[in-house]
Amino acid sequence: MMELLTMDGHGIYVWSAYILTTCVLLGLGIYPFIRLSRLKQRYQEDNELK
Amino acid sequence: MKFIPTWLHRLASPQHFFGDIKSWIMWLYVLGTIGFLVGSVWGLAFVPPERYQGDSFRILYVHAPIAHVAQLIYISIAVAGVVHLVWKLKMADVYMSAAAPVGCWLTALALASGMIWGMPTWGTAWVWDARIVSTLILLFLFFGLIVLRRVVPNPTRAATALSILAIVGAINIPIIKYSVEWFETLHQPASIELFGDIAIAPVFLTPLFINIASIYVLAAGFILANMRYLVVERNASMTWIQGWIRGQSQ
């Protein structure tokens, strides 16, 4: 397990690249749904005001 | 345009697109996530270290697919630009606006993962190298597409400007591809050619192909999710959007 984490001194580079990639992919996947739900909420509030 | 299949023709209508695409997005997310997990775990834990680079080569399994898909996204935006200019398809404009942020993030990620990989292999995170600089230009082109959409107030003019920038900027894609052959560079030449030899040992290839396919699938999901948002934003006054706002449809 330690070998997989340290990777002979390269672990810091390899894991940081994978963690960064995962974070960006998660953000790209989730953000459009958050935006859409906010937009729907805004339209609903606008409709209630009319 | 009789050569276009009925289902694709149907998706060119914002109303049908909005109704049909949600389940596609979910499937693309699920397939892409499973593929990315399998490819990454395989590449991290079940492939031997590379002879010269040791374990740092494992960054290849995220860096190469991301960089490849980012360039493909730019090409697809340029194609959408041509479609917009020729046929004035609204969905082509929606596609350009939806794909640009995805391409921008993936290009930034390709540069960042390349910088991380450069530290143990080249001894530096950055060199003013033809491949890296042309990829940086790609990032600026994506920024340009995003900014142009926001600063031009007239939507029709903005779409035309976006199309022209996308088409003109496409000249950068062959420069990125051939920069490693045309210039003296630290970056290694392409190891996989579509119609040529593969310079990577088979043991390293499977997780790479899995991750390339997964990033394609995920990027398609991200772009479609962004398009769904833009369809709602641009058609807010339509009855079918009003029905969705009132909770009468998905």
Side-chain angles (χ1 to χ4, degrees):
Chain A
M1 190 63 192
M2 273 313 281
E3 202 180 315
L4 183 66
L5 281 176
T6 57
M7 292 190 179
D8 206 16
H10 290 152
I12 183 79
Y13 305 109
V14 175
W15 286 108
S16 53
Y18 276 80
I19 290 168
L20 186 66
T21 302
T22 308
C23 290
V24 171
L25 293 180
L26 276 174
L28 283 171
I30 294 168
Y31 187 59
F33 288 92
I34 295 174
R35 257 176 115 195
L36 189 63
S37 126
R38 278 187 197 151
L39 188 68
K40 186 177 186 180
Q41 202 177 353
R42 206 179 76 209
Y43 286 160
Q44 281 169 341
E45 285 165 6
D46 288 350
N47 280 357
E48 281 164 20
L49 285 175
K50 279 177 191 171
Chain B
M1 287 190 280
K2 283 183 181 170
F3 58 90
I4 297 176
T6 319
W7 63 269
L8 192 57
H9 205 267
R10 191 178 148 85
L11 289 179
S13 140
Q15 182 179 0
H16 288 132
F17 177 89
F18 180 74
D20 293 352
I21 216 66
K22 195 179 178 185
S23 58
W24 286 42
I25 295 170
M26 290 307 157
W27 277 111
L28 290 168
Y29 274 27
V30 170
L31 281 175
T33 305
I34 293 171
F36 182 69
L37 285 174
V38 170
S40 298
V41 170
W42 193 329
L44 283 167
F46 298 102
V47 164
E50 201 264 346
R51 192 196 306 174
Y52 300 108
Q53 297 185 46
D55 283 298
S56 70
F57 96 97
R58 296 180 201 281
I59 296 172
L60 168 83
Y61 296 118
V62 286
H63 173 75
I66 297 279
H68 171 72
V69 173
Q71 290 166 40
L72 254 290
I73 288 176
Y74 194 89
I75 294 171
S76 73
I77 293 175
V79 171
V82 173
V83 171
H84 174 77
L85 290 179
V86 176
W87 289 294
K88 301 284 174 205
L89 262 185
K90 275 185 188 173
M91 291 306 283
D93 174 31
V94 172
Y95 179 85
M96 289 190 287
S97 302
V102 178
C104 187
W105 275 105
L106 293 186
T107 309
L109 191 55
L111 284 167
S113 56
M115 286 167 76
I116 295 170
W117 197 0
M119 287 186 237
T121 47
W122 299 342
T124 178
W126 187 269
V127 279
W128 292 98
D129 169 281
R131 170 61 68 88
I132 301 169
V133 171
S134 51
T135 306
L136 185 65
I137 292 170
L138 181 69
L139 180 68
F140 292 151
L141 282 166
F142 278 123
F143 276 137
L145 292 172
I146 296 166
V147 170
L148 206 53
R149 160 60 64 190
R150 293 185 185 175
V151 297
V152 180
N154 181 317
T156 316
R157 281 191 184 167
T160 306
L162 222 68
S163 305
I164 293 168
L165 176 62
I167 295 164
V168 172
I171 189 72
N172 189 45
I173 299 297
I175 295 175
I176 295 176
K177 176 160 172 50
Y178 294 107
S179 56
V180 285
E181 293 170 27
W182 293 341
F183 303 98
E184 191 82 18
T185 164
L186 268 179
H187 200 285
Q188 67 183 65
S191 304
I192 301 171
E193 293 287 345
L194 194 57
F195 302 107
D197 292 336
I198 294 178
I200 299 179
V203 67
F204 300 118
L205 274 181
T206 315
L208 181 61
F209 284 141
I210 292 174
N211 269 8
I212 290 174
S214 307
I215 299 297
Y216 264 114
V217 170
L218 281 174
F222 301 155
I223 293 171
L224 289 175
N226 278 343
M227 286 177 77
R228 196 163 180 267
Y229 169 84
L230 290 171
V231 162
V232 173
E233 193 185 43
R234 293 180 189 186
N235 296 279
S237 58
M238 298 290 180
T239 334
W240 48 276
I241 291 289
Q242 287 300 320
W244 171 74
I245 292 166
R246 287 193 296 270
Q248 291 162 0
S249 67
Q250 286 294 302

